[in-house]
Protein backbone atom coordinates (compact mmCIF):
# COMPACT_ATOMS: atom_id res chain seq x y z
CA UNK A 1 0.00 0.00 0.00
CA UNK A 2 1.40 3.36 -1.05
CA UNK A 3 1.36 6.29 1.38
CA UNK A 4 -0.03 8.90 1.58
CA UNK A 5 -3.43 7.52 0.69
CA UNK A 6 -5.42 9.77 -1.63
CA UNK A 7 -9.05 10.30 -0.57
CA UNK A 8 -9.68 13.79 -1.87
CA UNK A 9 -11.30 12.93 -5.18
CA UNK A 10 -13.72 15.88 -5.05
CA UNK A 11 -10.70 18.15 -5.40
CA UNK A 12 -9.28 16.17 -8.29
CA UNK A 13 -8.90 12.59 -9.47
CA UNK A 14 -5.78 10.84 -10.72
CA UNK A 15 -5.64 10.35 -14.48
CA UNK A 16 -6.61 6.88 -15.59
CA UNK A 17 -3.50 5.34 -17.24
CA UNK A 18 -5.65 4.58 -20.30
CA UNK A 19 -6.37 8.29 -20.60
CA UNK A 20 -2.68 9.17 -20.44
CA UNK A 21 -1.90 6.55 -23.06
CA UNK A 22 -4.51 7.99 -25.41
CA UNK A 23 -3.11 11.48 -24.96
CA UNK A 24 0.58 10.74 -25.49
CA UNK A 25 0.70 10.76 -29.30
CA UNK A 26 -0.92 14.19 -29.37
CA UNK A 27 2.19 15.82 -27.93
CA UNK A 28 4.82 14.73 -30.44
CA UNK A 29 3.07 13.02 -33.36
CA UNK A 30 -0.42 14.45 -33.78
CA UNK A 31 0.45 17.90 -32.52
CA UNK A 32 -1.31 19.88 -35.25
CA UNK A 33 -3.67 22.79 -34.77
CA UNK A 34 -7.21 21.56 -35.29
CA UNK A 35 -8.00 24.82 -37.08
CA UNK A 36 -5.30 24.31 -39.76
CA UNK A 37 -7.22 23.47 -42.91
CA UNK A 38 -4.37 23.06 -45.37
CA UNK A 39 -2.35 20.07 -44.25
CA UNK A 40 -2.64 16.62 -42.74
CA UNK A 41 -1.40 17.73 -39.28
CA UNK A 42 -4.44 19.95 -38.99
CA UNK A 43 -6.80 17.32 -40.37
CA UNK A 44 -5.51 14.70 -37.95
CA UNK A 45 -5.92 17.04 -35.02
CA UNK A 46 -9.41 17.94 -36.14
CA UNK A 47 -10.32 14.27 -36.39
CA UNK A 48 -9.09 13.71 -32.83
CA UNK A 49 -11.14 16.66 -31.60
CA UNK A 50 -14.26 15.35 -33.32
CA UNK A 51 -13.75 11.92 -31.81
CA UNK A 52 -13.49 13.50 -28.36
CA UNK A 53 -16.69 15.43 -29.00
CA UNK A 54 -18.48 12.20 -29.92
CA UNK A 55 -17.24 10.42 -26.80
CA UNK A 56 -18.53 13.18 -24.52
CA UNK A 57 -21.79 13.47 -26.43
CA UNK A 58 -22.35 9.73 -25.96
CA UNK A 59 -21.88 10.10 -22.19
CA UNK A 60 -24.62 12.72 -21.78
CA UNK A 61 -26.80 11.75 -24.77
CA UNK A 62 -26.48 14.80 -27.00
CA UNK A 63 -25.21 15.62 -30.47
CA UNK A 64 -21.43 16.15 -30.79
CA UNK A 65 -22.27 19.54 -32.30
CA UNK A 66 -23.65 20.61 -28.94
CA UNK A 67 -20.32 20.29 -27.12
CA UNK A 68 -18.20 23.42 -26.60
CA UNK A 69 -14.71 22.85 -25.23
CA UNK A 70 -13.47 25.09 -22.44
CA UNK A 71 -10.52 25.25 -20.05
CA UNK A 72 -12.53 23.59 -17.29
CA UNK A 73 -15.72 23.75 -15.31
CA UNK A 74 -15.11 27.20 -13.88
CA UNK A 75 -15.05 28.57 -17.40
CA UNK A 76 -18.03 26.43 -18.41
CA UNK A 77 -20.08 27.78 -15.49
CA UNK A 78 -19.07 31.36 -16.27
CA UNK A 79 -19.87 30.95 -19.96
CA UNK A 80 -23.24 29.34 -19.33
CA UNK A 81 -24.46 31.83 -16.73
CA UNK A 82 -23.02 35.08 -18.03
CA UNK A 83 -23.55 33.95 -21.62
CA UNK A 84 -27.29 33.42 -21.09
CA UNK A 85 -27.72 36.55 -18.97
CA UNK A 86 -26.02 38.82 -21.48
CA UNK A 87 -27.70 37.25 -24.49
CA UNK A 88 -31.19 37.34 -23.02
CA UNK A 89 -31.05 40.43 -20.79
CA UNK A 90 -33.88 41.95 -22.86
CA UNK A 91 -36.10 38.97 -22.14
CA UNK A 92 -35.59 38.94 -18.39
CA UNK A 93 -33.25 39.82 -15.58
CA UNK A 94 -33.97 37.19 -12.95
CA UNK A 95 -31.86 34.11 -12.16
CA UNK A 96 -32.44 31.27 -9.69
CA UNK A 97 -29.66 29.31 -8.03
CA UNK A 98 -28.91 27.66 -4.67
CA UNK A 99 -26.66 28.65 -1.80
CA UNK A 100 -24.59 25.45 -2.01
CA UNK A 101 -23.45 25.81 -5.61
CA UNK A 102 -19.78 25.84 -6.50
CA UNK A 103 -18.07 29.22 -6.19
CA UNK A 104 -17.83 29.46 -9.98
CA UNK A 105 -21.63 29.58 -10.09
CA UNK A 106 -22.13 31.69 -6.97
CA UNK A 107 -19.58 34.30 -7.99
CA UNK A 108 -20.84 34.46 -11.58
CA UNK A 109 -24.33 35.15 -10.22
CA UNK A 110 -22.96 37.73 -7.79
CA UNK A 111 -21.29 39.58 -10.63
CA UNK A 112 -24.57 39.61 -12.56
CA UNK A 113 -26.29 40.95 -9.46
CA UNK A 114 -23.86 43.88 -9.53
CA UNK A 115 -24.81 44.42 -13.17
CA UNK A 116 -28.44 44.79 -12.18
CA UNK A 117 -29.77 41.23 -12.51
CA UNK A 118 -31.82 39.83 -9.64
CA UNK A 119 -30.77 36.51 -8.16
CA UNK A 120 -32.80 34.21 -5.93
CA UNK A 121 -30.52 32.13 -3.70
CA UNK A 122 -32.48 29.03 -2.74
CA UNK A 123 -31.77 27.51 0.67
CA UNK A 124 -31.34 23.79 1.25
CA UNK A 125 -32.68 21.60 4.03
CA UNK A 126 -30.71 19.62 6.57
CA UNK A 127 -30.43 16.93 3.88
CA UNK A 128 -28.50 19.32 1.64
CA UNK A 129 -31.00 19.05 -1.21
CA UNK A 130 -32.64 21.73 -3.32
CA UNK A 131 -36.43 21.28 -3.47
CA UNK A 132 -38.13 21.42 -6.84
CA UNK A 133 -41.09 23.17 -5.22
CA UNK A 134 -38.74 25.91 -3.98
CA UNK A 135 -37.51 26.41 -7.54
CA UNK A 136 -41.11 26.58 -8.77
CA UNK A 137 -42.09 29.12 -6.13
CA UNK A 138 -39.10 31.29 -6.94
CA UNK A 139 -39.94 31.58 -10.65
CA UNK A 140 -40.96 35.08 -11.69
CA UNK A 141 -42.28 36.50 -14.96
CA UNK A 142 -38.82 37.50 -16.08
CA UNK A 143 -36.81 34.50 -14.88
CA UNK A 144 -34.39 33.56 -17.67
CA UNK A 145 -32.16 30.97 -16.04
CA UNK A 146 -32.15 28.33 -13.33
CA UNK A 147 -28.72 26.95 -12.38
CA UNK A 148 -28.55 24.02 -9.97
CA UNK A 149 -25.73 21.53 -9.50
CA UNK A 150 -26.09 17.78 -9.99
CA UNK A 151 -23.93 16.77 -7.00
CA UNK A 152 -22.43 18.93 -4.30
CA UNK A 153 -18.66 18.99 -4.10
CA UNK A 154 -18.48 18.89 -0.30
CA UNK A 155 -21.29 16.65 0.85
CA UNK A 156 -21.99 14.75 -2.38
CA UNK A 157 -25.75 15.24 -2.21
CA UNK A 158 -27.67 14.67 -5.44
CA UNK A 159 -30.29 17.24 -6.42
CA UNK A 160 -33.51 16.30 -8.24
CA UNK A 161 -32.07 17.66 -11.47
CA UNK A 162 -34.49 15.80 -13.75
CA UNK A 163 -37.50 17.23 -11.91
CA UNK A 164 -36.08 20.74 -12.01
CA UNK A 165 -35.27 20.33 -15.70
CA UNK A 166 -38.84 19.33 -16.53
CA UNK A 167 -40.19 22.25 -14.53
CA UNK A 168 -37.94 24.66 -16.43
CA UNK A 169 -38.96 23.13 -19.77
CA UNK A 170 -42.63 23.58 -18.92
CA UNK A 171 -42.03 27.21 -17.97
CA UNK A 172 -39.75 28.01 -20.91
CA UNK A 173 -36.77 28.88 -18.72
CA UNK A 174 -33.20 27.86 -19.52
CA UNK A 175 -31.74 25.26 -17.16
CA UNK A 176 -28.01 25.03 -16.50
CA UNK A 177 -26.57 22.18 -14.46
CA UNK A 178 -23.03 21.99 -13.09
CA UNK A 179 -22.53 18.23 -13.34
CA UNK A 180 -18.83 18.19 -12.55
CA UNK A 181 -18.91 16.08 -9.39
CA UNK A 182 -21.53 13.60 -10.52
CA UNK A 183 -20.68 12.60 -14.07
CA UNK A 184 -18.25 9.82 -13.18
CA UNK A 185 -20.80 8.08 -10.95
CA UNK A 186 -24.34 9.07 -11.95
CA UNK A 187 -26.11 8.61 -15.30
CA UNK A 188 -26.85 11.94 -17.00
CA UNK A 189 -29.14 12.26 -20.02
CA UNK A 190 -29.67 15.86 -21.07
CA UNK A 191 -32.75 14.96 -23.13
CA UNK A 192 -34.51 13.01 -20.44
CA UNK A 193 -33.53 15.48 -17.72
CA UNK A 194 -34.48 18.64 -19.62
CA UNK A 195 -31.03 20.18 -19.33
CA UNK A 196 -30.11 23.07 -21.67
CA UNK A 197 -26.56 23.68 -20.48
CA UNK A 198 -24.27 21.23 -18.68
CA UNK A 199 -20.82 21.91 -17.23
CA UNK A 200 -18.25 19.13 -17.51
CA UNK A 201 -14.72 18.85 -16.14
CA UNK A 202 -12.14 16.23 -17.13
CA UNK A 203 -10.07 16.12 -13.97
CA UNK A 204 -12.99 15.08 -11.77
CA UNK A 205 -13.55 12.02 -13.93
CA UNK A 206 -10.03 10.61 -14.25
CA UNK A 207 -9.01 12.90 -17.10
CA UNK A 208 -6.42 15.69 -17.25
CA UNK A 209 -6.64 19.17 -15.74
CA UNK A 210 -7.16 22.25 -17.88
CA UNK A 211 -9.93 20.89 -20.07
CA UNK A 212 -13.68 20.96 -19.69
CA UNK A 213 -16.77 21.26 -21.79
CA UNK A 214 -20.14 22.93 -21.88
CA UNK A 215 -23.10 21.20 -23.45
CA UNK A 216 -25.19 23.85 -25.21
CA UNK A 217 -28.59 22.70 -26.54
CA UNK A 218 -29.13 23.30 -30.25
CA UNK A 219 -32.84 22.55 -30.59
CA UNK A 220 -35.99 22.68 -28.44
CA UNK A 221 -34.93 25.36 -27.76
CA UNK A 222 -31.79 26.54 -29.50
CA UNK A 223 -29.61 28.12 -26.83
CA UNK A 224 -27.46 31.07 -27.83
CA UNK A 225 -24.72 32.45 -25.64
CA UNK A 226 -22.88 35.72 -25.54
CA UNK A 227 -19.22 34.63 -25.52
CA UNK A 228 -16.86 35.73 -22.77
CA UNK A 229 -13.71 35.10 -24.81
CA UNK A 230 -13.43 36.66 -28.25
CA UNK A 231 -10.97 35.70 -30.95
CA UNK A 232 -10.85 33.35 -33.91
CA UNK A 233 -14.46 32.23 -33.62
CA UNK A 234 -13.73 28.64 -32.64
CA UNK A 235 -16.46 26.44 -31.16
CA UNK A 236 -19.28 28.09 -33.13
CA UNK A 237 -18.10 31.47 -31.91
CA UNK A 238 -18.92 30.63 -28.32
CA UNK A 239 -15.35 30.03 -27.20
CA UNK A 240 -12.43 31.30 -29.20
CA UNK A 241 -8.94 29.95 -28.74
CA UNK A 242 -6.84 27.14 -30.24
CA UNK A 243 -8.33 23.84 -29.19
CA UNK A 244 -6.49 21.90 -26.49
CA UNK A 245 -6.13 18.71 -28.51
CA UNK A 246 -4.30 16.62 -25.85
CA UNK A 247 -6.89 17.68 -23.28
CA UNK A 248 -9.81 16.94 -25.57
CA UNK A 249 -8.43 13.48 -26.37
CA UNK A 250 -8.02 12.88 -22.62
CA UNK A 251 -11.50 14.14 -21.78
CA UNK A 252 -12.98 12.01 -24.56
CA UNK A 253 -11.20 8.88 -23.39
CA UNK A 254 -12.19 9.58 -19.78
CA UNK A 255 -15.83 9.92 -20.87
CA UNK A 256 -15.65 6.68 -22.85
CA UNK A 257 -14.29 4.79 -19.82
CA UNK A 258 -16.93 6.30 -17.52
CA UNK A 259 -19.71 5.25 -19.89
CA UNK A 260 -18.40 1.68 -19.96
CA UNK A 261 -17.53 1.29 -16.28
CA UNK A 262 -19.67 3.77 -14.37
CA UNK A 263 -22.12 1.26 -13.00
CA UNK A 264 -19.58 -1.22 -11.69
CA UNK A 265 -17.36 1.60 -10.38
CA UNK A 266 -20.27 3.16 -8.52
CA UNK A 267 -21.36 -0.12 -6.96
CA UNK A 268 -17.83 -0.92 -5.78
CA UNK A 269 -17.33 2.58 -4.36
CA UNK A 270 -20.67 2.53 -2.61
CA UNK A 271 -19.71 -0.69 -0.82
CA UNK A 272 -16.33 0.75 0.22
CA UNK A 273 -17.86 4.05 1.34
CA UNK A 274 -20.50 2.24 3.38
CA UNK A 275 -17.79 0.12 4.96
CA UNK A 276 -15.89 3.26 5.98
CA UNK A 277 -19.04 4.87 7.37
CA UNK A 278 -19.94 1.70 9.24
CA UNK A 279 -16.56 1.50 10.90
CA UNK A 280 -16.43 5.16 11.89
CA UNK A 281 -19.95 5.24 13.29
CA UNK A 282 -19.69 1.98 15.21
CA UNK A 283 -16.18 2.43 16.61
CA UNK A 284 -16.63 6.07 17.61
CA UNK A 285 -19.43 7.93 19.39
CA UNK A 286 -20.83 11.32 18.36
CA UNK A 287 -20.19 10.96 14.65
CA UNK A 288 -22.71 12.56 12.28
CA UNK A 289 -22.95 12.26 8.51
CA UNK A 290 -23.60 15.67 6.93
CA UNK A 291 -26.33 15.67 4.30
CA UNK A 292 -28.62 12.99 2.90
CA UNK A 293 -27.16 9.50 2.76
CA UNK A 294 -29.87 8.32 0.40
CA UNK A 295 -29.43 10.98 -2.28
CA UNK A 296 -25.67 11.02 -2.37
CA UNK A 297 -22.71 10.23 -4.59
CA UNK A 298 -21.49 6.69 -3.93
CA UNK A 299 -17.91 7.85 -3.28
CA UNK A 300 -18.59 10.69 -0.83
CA UNK A 301 -18.59 10.68 2.93
CA UNK A 302 -18.68 13.94 4.89
CA UNK A 303 -18.67 13.42 8.63
CA UNK A 304 -18.38 15.55 11.74
CA UNK A 305 -16.52 14.16 14.72
CA UNK A 306 -17.87 16.15 17.66
CA UNK A 307 -15.43 17.75 20.14
CA UNK A 308 -12.38 17.62 17.86
CA UNK A 309 -11.24 20.27 15.41
CA UNK A 310 -10.70 19.44 11.74
CA UNK A 311 -7.19 20.67 11.22
CA UNK A 312 -5.90 18.86 14.28
CA UNK A 313 -7.45 15.69 12.85
CA UNK A 314 -5.75 16.25 9.51
CA UNK A 315 -2.43 16.58 11.37
CA UNK A 316 -3.11 13.28 13.07
CA UNK A 317 -3.84 11.49 9.80
CA UNK A 318 -1.04 12.99 7.78
CA UNK A 319 -0.70 9.78 5.75
CA UNK A 320 -4.16 10.42 4.35
CA UNK A 321 -5.06 13.16 1.88
CA UNK A 322 -8.56 14.42 2.73
CA UNK A 323 -10.23 17.81 3.28
CA UNK A 324 -11.90 19.45 6.23
CA UNK A 325 -14.71 22.01 6.46
CA UNK A 326 -12.81 23.64 9.30
CA UNK A 327 -11.92 27.28 8.94
CA UNK A 328 -8.35 26.51 9.87
CA UNK A 329 -7.85 24.64 6.63
CA UNK A 330 -9.23 27.35 4.38
CA UNK A 331 -7.70 30.56 3.17
CA UNK A 332 -10.76 32.54 4.24
CA UNK A 333 -10.76 31.42 7.90
CA UNK A 334 -14.48 30.77 7.56
CA UNK A 335 -15.94 27.31 8.08
CA UNK A 336 -17.56 25.64 5.09
CA UNK A 337 -20.45 27.67 3.63
CA UNK A 338 -22.06 24.44 2.46
CA UNK A 339 -22.22 22.94 5.95
CA UNK A 340 -23.50 26.24 7.32
CA UNK A 341 -26.25 26.22 4.71
CA UNK A 342 -27.33 22.81 6.00
CA UNK A 343 -27.78 24.31 9.45
CA UNK A 344 -24.76 22.43 10.79
CA UNK A 345 -23.47 24.36 13.82
CA UNK A 346 -20.18 26.13 13.25
CA UNK A 347 -18.62 23.93 15.87
CA UNK A 348 -19.51 20.78 13.93
CA UNK A 349 -18.42 22.39 10.68
CA UNK A 350 -15.00 22.85 12.28
CA UNK A 351 -15.08 19.14 13.13
CA UNK A 352 -15.88 17.85 9.65
CA UNK A 353 -13.83 15.69 7.32
CA UNK A 354 -14.65 15.02 3.66
CA UNK A 355 -13.63 11.63 2.29
CA UNK A 356 -13.68 11.26 -1.50
CA UNK A 357 -13.08 7.69 -2.67
CA UNK A 358 -12.09 7.06 -6.26
CA UNK A 359 -11.70 4.43 -8.97
CA UNK A 360 -8.38 3.22 -7.57
CA UNK A 361 -9.31 3.15 -3.85
CA UNK A 362 -8.83 -0.29 -2.29
CA UNK A 363 -10.48 -1.93 0.70
CA UNK A 364 -7.08 -2.14 2.38
CA UNK A 365 -6.77 1.65 2.09
CA UNK A 366 -10.25 2.17 3.53
CA UNK A 367 -9.41 0.03 6.55
CA UNK A 368 -6.12 1.81 7.07
CA UNK A 369 -7.91 5.16 7.02
CA UNK A 370 -10.62 3.93 9.39
CA UNK A 371 -8.01 2.63 11.87
CA UNK A 372 -6.09 5.88 11.78
CA UNK A 373 -9.21 8.02 12.04
CA UNK A 374 -10.50 6.13 15.07
CA UNK A 375 -7.12 6.33 16.84
CA UNK A 376 -6.72 10.03 16.11
CA UNK A 377 -10.22 11.05 17.16
CA UNK A 378 -9.91 9.09 20.41
CA UNK A 379 -6.55 10.68 21.18
CA UNK A 380 -7.79 14.20 20.45
CA UNK A 381 -10.95 13.69 22.47
CA UNK A 382 -8.75 12.77 25.44
CA UNK A 383 -7.42 16.30 25.29
CA UNK A 384 -10.68 18.02 24.34
CA UNK A 385 -12.21 20.33 26.97
CA UNK A 386 -15.51 20.09 25.10
CA UNK A 387 -15.61 16.33 25.42
CA UNK A 388 -14.83 16.65 29.14
CA UNK A 389 -17.61 19.19 29.65
CA UNK A 390 -20.09 17.10 27.69
CA UNK A 391 -19.18 14.06 29.79
CA UNK A 392 -19.84 16.11 32.92
CA UNK A 393 -23.32 16.75 31.61
CA UNK A 394 -22.76 20.39 30.74
CA UNK A 395 -24.82 21.65 27.82
CA UNK A 396 -22.21 23.25 25.58
CA UNK A 397 -24.81 25.42 23.91
CA UNK A 398 -25.64 27.09 27.23
CA UNK A 399 -22.09 27.99 28.17
CA UNK A 400 -21.20 31.66 27.82
CA UNK A 401 -18.14 31.45 25.59
CA UNK A 402 -15.80 34.32 25.10
CA UNK A 403 -16.23 34.76 21.37
CA UNK A 404 -13.21 36.13 19.63
CA UNK B 1 0.00 23.96 6.49
CA UNK B 2 3.68 23.29 7.02
CA UNK B 3 4.58 23.40 10.70
CA UNK B 4 7.82 23.76 12.63
CA UNK B 5 9.30 20.70 14.33
CA UNK B 6 8.49 22.21 17.71
CA UNK B 7 4.79 22.50 16.90
CA UNK B 8 4.76 18.94 15.62
CA UNK B 9 6.55 17.74 18.75
CA UNK B 10 3.99 19.41 21.05
CA UNK B 11 1.14 18.09 18.89
CA UNK B 12 2.47 14.54 18.88
CA UNK B 13 3.66 14.54 22.51
CA UNK B 14 1.56 17.15 24.28
CA UNK B 15 2.85 17.99 27.78
CA UNK B 16 0.55 18.14 30.77
CA UNK B 17 -2.73 17.07 29.19
CA UNK B 18 -5.42 16.60 31.80
CA UNK B 19 -7.41 18.27 34.53
CA UNK B 20 -6.84 19.44 38.08
CA UNK B 21 -9.67 19.43 40.63
CA UNK B 22 -11.41 22.65 39.73
CA UNK B 23 -13.04 23.11 43.15
CA UNK B 24 -9.71 22.93 44.97
CA UNK B 25 -9.02 26.40 46.45
CA UNK B 26 -5.43 26.22 45.19
CA UNK B 27 -6.47 25.56 41.60
CA UNK B 28 -7.23 28.30 39.10
CA UNK B 29 -9.10 27.48 35.89
CA UNK B 30 -9.23 29.52 32.69
CA UNK B 31 -11.42 28.59 29.74
CA UNK B 32 -11.10 30.82 26.70
CA UNK B 33 -12.29 30.70 23.12
CA UNK B 34 -15.54 29.40 21.66
CA UNK B 35 -16.46 26.19 19.84
CA UNK B 36 -17.96 28.05 16.89
CA UNK B 37 -14.68 29.88 16.38
CA UNK B 38 -12.89 26.55 16.22
CA UNK B 39 -10.82 26.75 19.38
CA UNK B 40 -11.37 26.42 23.11
CA UNK B 41 -8.54 26.21 25.62
CA UNK B 42 -8.87 25.11 29.21
CA UNK B 43 -5.79 25.84 31.28
CA UNK B 44 -5.40 25.13 34.98
CA UNK B 45 -2.74 26.03 37.52
CA UNK B 46 -2.18 24.64 41.00
CA UNK B 47 -0.55 27.27 43.20
CA UNK B 48 1.36 26.88 46.44
CA UNK B 49 -0.41 29.42 48.63
CA UNK B 50 2.66 29.98 50.80
CA UNK B 51 5.16 30.71 48.06
CA UNK B 52 2.89 31.81 45.22
CA UNK B 53 4.68 29.38 42.93
CA UNK B 54 2.78 27.39 40.30
CA UNK B 55 3.45 23.77 41.17
CA UNK B 56 1.40 22.11 38.50
CA UNK B 57 -0.33 23.08 35.27
CA UNK B 58 -2.65 21.14 32.99
CA UNK B 59 -4.49 21.85 29.75
CA UNK B 60 -7.13 20.55 27.41
CA UNK B 61 -7.60 22.14 24.01
CA UNK B 62 -10.12 21.90 21.19
CA UNK B 63 -8.42 23.48 18.22
CA UNK B 64 -5.85 23.20 15.49
CA UNK B 65 -2.33 21.89 15.92
CA UNK B 66 -1.00 25.37 16.73
CA UNK B 67 -3.58 25.85 19.45
CA UNK B 68 -2.68 22.50 21.00
CA UNK B 69 1.04 23.30 20.81
CA UNK B 70 0.58 26.82 22.25
CA UNK B 71 -1.30 25.56 25.28
CA UNK B 72 1.05 22.62 25.78
CA UNK B 73 4.02 25.01 25.76
CA UNK B 74 2.22 27.38 28.13
CA UNK B 75 1.79 24.65 30.75
CA UNK B 76 5.48 23.76 30.42
CA UNK B 77 6.46 27.37 31.05
CA UNK B 78 4.05 27.88 33.94
CA UNK B 79 5.39 25.14 36.17
CA UNK B 80 7.85 26.53 38.71
CA UNK B 81 7.05 30.17 38.01
CA UNK B 82 5.56 32.59 40.49
CA UNK B 83 2.20 34.11 39.61
CA UNK B 84 3.90 37.41 38.85
CA UNK B 85 6.34 35.78 36.49
CA UNK B 86 3.53 33.83 34.86
CA UNK B 87 1.55 37.02 34.24
CA UNK B 88 4.50 38.36 32.26
CA UNK B 89 4.36 35.57 29.64
CA UNK B 90 3.51 37.25 26.33
CA UNK B 91 1.91 35.72 23.28
CA UNK B 92 4.93 36.84 21.25
CA UNK B 93 7.14 34.61 23.41
CA UNK B 94 5.02 31.66 22.29
CA UNK B 95 5.07 32.79 18.66
CA UNK B 96 8.86 32.94 18.72
CA UNK B 97 9.39 29.67 20.54
CA UNK B 98 7.09 27.69 18.22
CA UNK B 99 7.76 29.68 15.02
CA UNK B 100 4.00 30.05 14.58
CA UNK B 101 2.99 31.09 11.07
CA UNK B 102 1.30 34.55 10.89
CA UNK B 103 -2.13 33.03 10.27
CA UNK B 104 -1.83 31.16 13.60
CA UNK B 105 -0.83 34.06 15.85
CA UNK B 106 -4.29 34.14 17.39
CA UNK B 107 -3.53 30.72 18.91
CA UNK B 108 -0.75 32.30 20.98
CA UNK B 109 -3.04 35.17 21.96
CA UNK B 110 -5.56 32.64 23.17
CA UNK B 111 -2.88 30.84 25.21
CA UNK B 112 -1.86 34.12 26.88
CA UNK B 113 -5.52 34.81 27.65
CA UNK B 114 -5.88 31.32 29.11
CA UNK B 115 -2.90 31.87 31.43
CA UNK B 116 -4.33 35.17 32.65
CA UNK B 117 -7.83 33.72 33.04
CA UNK B 118 -6.51 30.81 35.12
CA UNK B 119 -4.49 33.10 37.40
CA UNK B 120 -7.39 35.53 37.77
CA UNK B 121 -9.65 32.65 38.71
CA UNK B 122 -7.16 31.51 41.37
CA UNK B 123 -6.82 35.03 42.76
CA UNK B 124 -10.59 35.47 42.88
CA UNK B 125 -10.89 32.27 44.86
CA UNK B 126 -8.24 33.46 47.33
CA UNK B 127 -10.06 36.75 47.81
CA UNK B 128 -13.33 34.95 48.48
CA UNK B 129 -11.58 32.79 51.05
CA UNK B 130 -10.05 35.86 52.72
CA UNK B 131 -13.49 37.47 52.84
CA UNK B 132 -14.89 34.34 54.36
CA UNK B 133 -17.39 33.33 51.74
CA UNK B 134 -15.23 31.10 49.62
CA UNK B 135 -16.69 27.92 48.34
CA UNK B 136 -14.46 27.77 45.31
CA UNK B 137 -15.84 28.65 41.95
CA UNK B 138 -16.42 25.93 39.46
CA UNK B 139 -18.96 27.32 37.09
CA UNK B 140 -18.23 26.56 33.47
CA UNK B 141 -18.11 30.15 32.40
CA UNK B 142 -15.52 30.85 29.78
CA UNK B 143 -13.59 33.97 30.57
CA UNK B 144 -11.06 36.03 28.75
CA UNK B 145 -10.76 39.34 26.98
CA UNK B 146 -12.27 39.66 23.54
CA UNK B 147 -9.81 39.36 20.76
CA UNK B 148 -10.05 41.89 18.04
CA UNK B 149 -9.14 39.56 15.23
CA UNK B 150 -11.25 36.81 13.77
CA UNK B 151 -9.81 33.47 14.63
CA UNK B 152 -10.26 30.05 13.22
Amino acid sequence: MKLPIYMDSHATTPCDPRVVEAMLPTFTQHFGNAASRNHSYGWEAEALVEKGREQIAALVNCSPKEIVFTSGATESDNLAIKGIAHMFADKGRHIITSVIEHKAVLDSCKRLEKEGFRVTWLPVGKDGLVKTSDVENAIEDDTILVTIMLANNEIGTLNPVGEIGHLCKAKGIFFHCDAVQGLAYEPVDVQEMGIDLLSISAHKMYGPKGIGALYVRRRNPRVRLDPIIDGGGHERGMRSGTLNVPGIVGLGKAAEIVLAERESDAARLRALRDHLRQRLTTELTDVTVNGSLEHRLPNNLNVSFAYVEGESMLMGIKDVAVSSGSACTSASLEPSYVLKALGVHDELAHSSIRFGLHRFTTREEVDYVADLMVRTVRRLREMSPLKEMADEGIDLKKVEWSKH
Amino acid sequence: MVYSDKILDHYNNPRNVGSLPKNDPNVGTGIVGAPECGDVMKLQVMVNEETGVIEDAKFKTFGCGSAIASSSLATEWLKGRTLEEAMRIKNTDIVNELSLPPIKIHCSVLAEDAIKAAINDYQKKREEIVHGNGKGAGKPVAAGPDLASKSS
Side-chain angles (χ1 to χ4, degrees), chain A residues 56 59-60 150-151 179-189 198-201 204-205 251 258-259 262 297:
Chain A
I56 297 155
L59 181 65
V60 299
L150 172 62
V180 168
Q181 293 289 341
L183 268 183
Y185 314 100
E186 297 294 322
V188 170
D189 182 326
L198 187 90
S199 295
I200 298 168
S201 170
K204 309 281 183 174
M205 47 191 260
L251 172 55
V258 164
L259 188 57
R262 182 180 55 219
L297 288 174

Side-chain angles (χ1 to χ4, degrees), chain B residues 39-147:
Chain B
D39 33 33
V40 174
M41 282 181 194
K42 186 189 82 165
L43 199 143
Q44 293 181 299
V45 289
M46 180 174 280
V47 185
N48 182 321
E49 55 188 290
E50 311 272 297
T51 60
V53 170
I54 296 169
E55 292 186 332
D56 200 1
K58 296 271 186 208
F59 86 95
K60 284 201 173 191
T61 290
F62 162 84
C64 63
S66 299
I68 291 172
S70 298
S71 36
S72 169
L73 176 67
T75 57
E76 232 180 7
W77 279 354
L78 286 173
K79 283 200 207 177
R81 290 201 194 198
T82 64
L83 291 177
E84 274 167 22
E85 288 167 346
M87 285 301 260
R88 285 202 293 269
I89 295 174
K90 286 272 162 292
N91 83 293
T92 45
D93 303 334
I94 296 170
V95 172
N96 293 335
E97 174 67 17
L98 295 175
S99 313
L100 284 182
I103 200 168
K104 296 295 184 185
I105 294 203
H106 70 273
C107 296
S108 67
V109 177
L110 207 58
E112 184 189 323
D113 290 346
I115 293 172
K116 296 206 156 84
I119 292 174
N120 286 338
D121 181 57
Y122 168 77
Q123 284 169 337
K124 219 170 90 196
K125 274 189 191 174
R126 300 305 305 171
E127 265 170 42
E128 282 173 5
I129 288 167
V130 170
H131 290 94
N133 58 353
K135 281 193 303 186
K139 253 180 68 193
V141 172
D146 283 348
L147 305 187

Side-chain angles (χ1 to χ4, degrees), chain A residues 141-161:
Chain A
D141 290 343
D142 65 340
T143 305
I144 49 172
L145 176 71
V146 171
T147 169
I148 299 290
M149 68 198 333
L150 172 62
N152 181 267
N153 47 305
E154 288 192 32
I155 52 175
T157 47
L158 291 165
N159 284 315
V161 165

